[in-house]
Amino acid sequence: MRPADVLVEAGRLAAEGEPFALATVVNVRRPASARRGDRAVVMPDGSVHGWVGGSCSEPTVVREALVALADGESRLVSTEGSCASEGAVEILIEPQLPAPLVAIVGESPAAATLAGLAAAIDWRVTRELDDRADAVVVATMGRGDEEALAAALSGPAGYVGLVASRRRAEAVAASLRAAGVAEDALARLKSPAGLDLGPIRQEEIAVAILAELVAWRHARTPSAPPPEEAVDPVCGMTVALVGAPTAVHEGITYAFCGPGCRTRFEAEPERYRAVEAS
Amino acid sequence: MRDVLDTLERWTGEGLRFATATVVKTERSAPRDPGAVLAVSERGEVAGSVTGGCVEPAVYEEAQAVLAGGPPRLVTYGIADEEAFEVGLPCGGTVHIFVDLADPAVVHDLAAAVREERPVALEVIVAGEDIGRKQVVPLNGHADTGLAGDVFVAEFAPPPAMYVFGAVDHAAAVARIGKFLGYHVTVCDARSRFATRERFPDVDELIVAWPDEFLRGAPVDGRTAICVLTHDHKFDIPLLKVALETPAGYIGAMGARRTNESRNERLLAEGVTEEQLARIHAPIGLRIGSRTPEEVAVAVAAEIVATRRQAAVPA
């Protein structure tokens, strides 16, 4: 895949709302197999499409790309010291995460106002329950709050909020409890939804809720669990376990930066076993 | 009421009698805010809404009774007690609605004030001996629409001003959310290459001028929000000095912690007092972990709302 094709692929993934990291070689110290401007797309499963150098740099790129997808931050990584040769490359890794999807349930003015504001800050909005939603805000104003909340709390959404007064919020929680919704599920419910700004108007309520959603989004740092890593016992490189070649010796699993290191390990495991995989 | 004022003015012009039903107070989660109006003409035409459909039929009957010569009345809808009953109520909350005959002179005064962008308030007595008496008074500063004793006050002020300085990416996002909150938004930057319509299609006014010089001549009152996003001392030191001389209700300034500290030192050195400095929200926006310009805009909007409401804000 040529660098230009990688960009086409990246554009396609972004348009489809798929998360990925774009890796671009920005500096090269020879000898190295990559050239400045070489690119690759790294998927959340650790697969690489494109070229950012061979076994010297790819494991590092995958490891850092997975961390970047977890914390949302771009980073510049160097393969300094991880290669047998004297060459090294510097690679810019940019995570591309789709905008959060928020499901806003209910026909109330509060729901419509919040949907308008969420779209205005480029979040994706759906007006019905959706299992893919990162966050669910229920604002039916009494026309089915309990049903929508029970469904949302049994789903995977990380944020579930109810637009209601404090008193009504308590009544709804009591009703959900009586209907058999578990306490740990109820503990996830933000009710009433929104930072306590003392808001009055619909627009202000929407701002308070969206501020809480932004805070919630970034409080989960890292937003996904960090990828599991291990140290290659042969070359000492830290590699992501996802997609790495592995070998089992005396009941312990070892991970390697590439097939080369694994072959060397398998030839004389006793020599390398002192550095154990995690 | 603002949303139906055109219709009411037209009815007045046609010499029609009509009744207005106004939400004067809400409890718990009512669908519309105080000030929402449903109007019913003697021909049976309807404009506006008070709850978005929940109690409109009942309110329509009250309006008809008033048009037929009945007295003005304050009516309440919703189940007030027993939370158990409240759950499953088709329309949550309780609304208090005042229904009376419209006064053509009052409609005329309100419409004129809105057209001329004069801040006024409509005061209506909703209980007691003088029930139904109303007047339009000039408004100084901020008044919340709502009930104060037996008097319902409805604010009719032109949109408050938001001035955004620095035509950066964050400015477009802040301007967009400022419009959403009902502000008349002006973006100002000294650099004509940045302050372009292409970059700021939504703002009400786009000004190429030195920020401090522009603000010195711009109207500012207690409702005004000033957002300083230049984070360049060359612009923001003189600008903030001017801003601190105004009665603006909100002044926020962008900048990393170190930028802020050096800016504060400069401002103090130039004669700004610690008390004045405390008026500046910096770094701008509530701490909600914002990263993108849009998220920063949400943080700024939340801070403006909180400041406006003088609420205790979680740190």
Side-chain angles (χ1 to χ4, degrees):
Chain A
M1 201 180 254
R2 295 173 302 134
D5 297 328
V6 172
L7 289 181
V8 171
E9 172 70 0
R12 188 187 67 79
L13 291 167
E16 288 176 6
E18 296 285 338
F20 65 95
L22 182 63
T24 307
V25 175
V26 292
N27 248 327
V28 173
R29 193 180 70 224
R30 297 191 178 285
S33 63
R35 290 179 305 173
R36 189 180 281 175
D38 280 346
R39 289 192 179 91
V41 157
V42 183
M43 301 302 292
D45 67 359
S47 62
V48 177
H49 309 287
W51 178 259
V52 284
S55 61
C56 279
S57 48
E58 203 166 273
T60 303
V61 168
V62 170
R63 171 170 53 95
E64 293 296 324
L66 294 180
V67 176
L69 283 171
D71 70 12
E73 300 283 352
S74 295
R75 60 239 300 134
L76 188 62
V77 303
S78 168
T79 62
E80 190 72 54
S82 64
C83 281
S85 77
E86 287 172 4
V89 293
E90 281 189 308
I91 298 163
L92 176 67
I93 295 176
E94 301 163 279
Q96 305 292 329
L97 296 164
L101 176 65
V102 55
I104 300 169
V105 184
E107 298 300 321
S108 63
T113 307
L114 179 61
L117 183 62
I121 71 154
D122 294 335
W123 280 37
R124 293 176 298 145
V125 175
T126 170
R127 294 302 305 276
E128 54 194 21
L129 281 175
D130 187 323
D131 272 350
R132 291 164 302 177
D134 301 291
V136 178
V137 178
V138 175
T140 70
M141 291 301 159
R143 304 184 201 199
D145 282 340
E146 290 81 0
E147 293 79 358
L149 287 173
L153 287 170
S154 68
Y159 175 105
V160 179
L162 169 68
V163 180
S165 65
R166 194 163 297 282
R167 212 171 127 200
R168 177 161 164 77
E170 283 167 17
V172 169
S175 157
L176 288 171
R177 193 172 282 119
V181 175
E183 284 302 321
D184 58 338
L186 280 176
R188 278 168 61 211
L189 177 61
K190 296 276 187 187
S191 174
L195 294 187
D196 188 4
L197 307 177
I200 298 178
R201 291 189 297 135
Q202 305 288 2
E203 294 79 17
E204 295 172 329
I205 293 171
V207 164
I209 294 172
L210 210 56
E212 183 170 80
L213 280 170
V214 171
W216 161 78
R217 184 185 184 197
H218 294 305
R220 326 168 281 161
T221 43
S223 57
E228 287 189 75
E229 297 176 350
V231 175
D232 181 327
V234 177
C235 67
M237 190 188 286
T238 302
V239 298
L241 282 181
V242 174
T246 56
V248 178
H249 178 66
E250 292 184 350
I252 298 170
T253 301
Y254 297 85
F256 305 93
C257 69
C261 278
R262 180 169 64 185
T263 307
R264 283 165 70 186
F265 177 86
E266 286 170 338
E268 26 177 4
E270 292 304 320
R271 183 179 161 193
Y272 298 109
R273 59 176 297 199
V275 190
E276 287 183 357
S278 58
Chain B
M1 183 185 232
R2 197 181 281 270
D3 53 335
V4 295
L5 205 49
D6 283 350
T7 306
L8 303 194
E9 205 185 8
R10 201 182 68 232
W11 288 353
T12 306
E14 292 171 13
L16 280 178
R17 290 169 66 247
F18 56 95
T20 54
T22 307
V23 177
V24 294
K25 190 179 172 201
T26 65
E27 292 165 50
R28 300 187 289 282
S29 45
R32 290 205 65 185
D33 294 327
V37 163
L38 172 79
V40 179
S41 82
E42 60 185 335
R43 288 199 302 235
E45 296 153 299
V46 172
S49 93
V50 280
T51 58
C54 300
V55 300
E56 266 68 4
V59 173
Y60 182 83
E61 292 305 318
E62 299 290 346
Q64 290 289 1
V66 166
L67 281 168
R73 59 203 65 195
L74 187 60
V75 288
T76 298
Y77 299 94
I79 294 178
D81 293 309
E82 294 307 314
E83 286 162 7
F85 282 77
E86 204 181 338
V87 177
L89 185 69
C91 293
T94 300
V95 287
H96 302 271
I97 294 173
F98 184 67
V99 189
D100 74 342
L101 210 55
D103 178 343
V106 165
V107 172
H108 180 264
D109 284 358
L110 281 178
V114 168
R115 215 168 9 248
E116 293 157 20
E117 301 202 336
R118 272 187 289 116
V120 295
L122 168 64
E123 296 179 352
V124 185
I125 296 171
V126 298
E129 265 178 39
D130 292 325
I131 185 166
R133 217 178 71 191
K134 41 181 108 51
Q135 59 174 346
V136 177
V137 297
L139 184 64
N140 297 310
H142 181 78
D144 269 327
T145 291
L147 202 55
D150 286 342
V151 182
F152 172 69
V153 179
E155 184 201 24
F156 286 82
M162 173 185 278
Y163 298 112
V164 181
F165 295 98
V168 294
D169 282 353
H170 291 83
V174 170
R176 192 140 57 125
I177 208 163
K179 289 292 293 174
F180 182 85
L181 280 175
Y183 283 94
H184 182 89
V185 180
T186 301
V187 171
C188 172
D189 197 302
R191 303 161 301 179
S192 58
R193 258 186 309 140
F194 292 92
T196 64
R197 269 290 156 196
E198 289 70 39
R199 300 188 65 206
F200 299 95
D202 310 323
V203 303
D204 297 296
E205 287 173 57
L206 193 59
I207 306 285
V208 178
W210 281 84
D212 56 318
E213 288 174 12
F214 167 73
L215 185 60
R216 208 180 290 280
V220 175
D221 63 26
R223 303 185 304 150
T224 303
I226 297 175
C227 302
V228 178
L229 311 181
T230 43
H231 57 75
D232 178 343
H233 289 354
K234 175 169 84 247
F235 297 113
D236 59 20
I237 297 283
L239 172 59
L240 284 168
K241 282 171 69 180
V242 176
L244 288 172
E245 291 164 13
T246 72
Y250 175 86
I251 303 172
M254 179 169 270
R257 196 165 301 279
R258 204 182 306 164
T259 313
N260 254 331
E261 283 168 9
S262 72
R263 183 167 55 208
N264 287 352
E265 283 166 20
R266 287 273 301 274
L267 285 167
L268 288 169
E270 298 204 17
V272 169
T273 66
E274 292 278 0
E275 291 75 39
Q276 285 181 301
L277 214 50
R279 281 180 67 199
I280 303 174
H281 295 267
I284 196 168
L286 290 190
R287 304 281 85 78
I288 55 174
S290 298
R291 287 181 188 158
T292 66
E294 290 74 22
E295 290 174 349
V296 170
V298 171
V300 172
E303 189 167 69
I304 289 173
V305 170
T307 306
R308 210 152 69 174
R309 295 300 171 202
Q310 298 292 312
V313 175

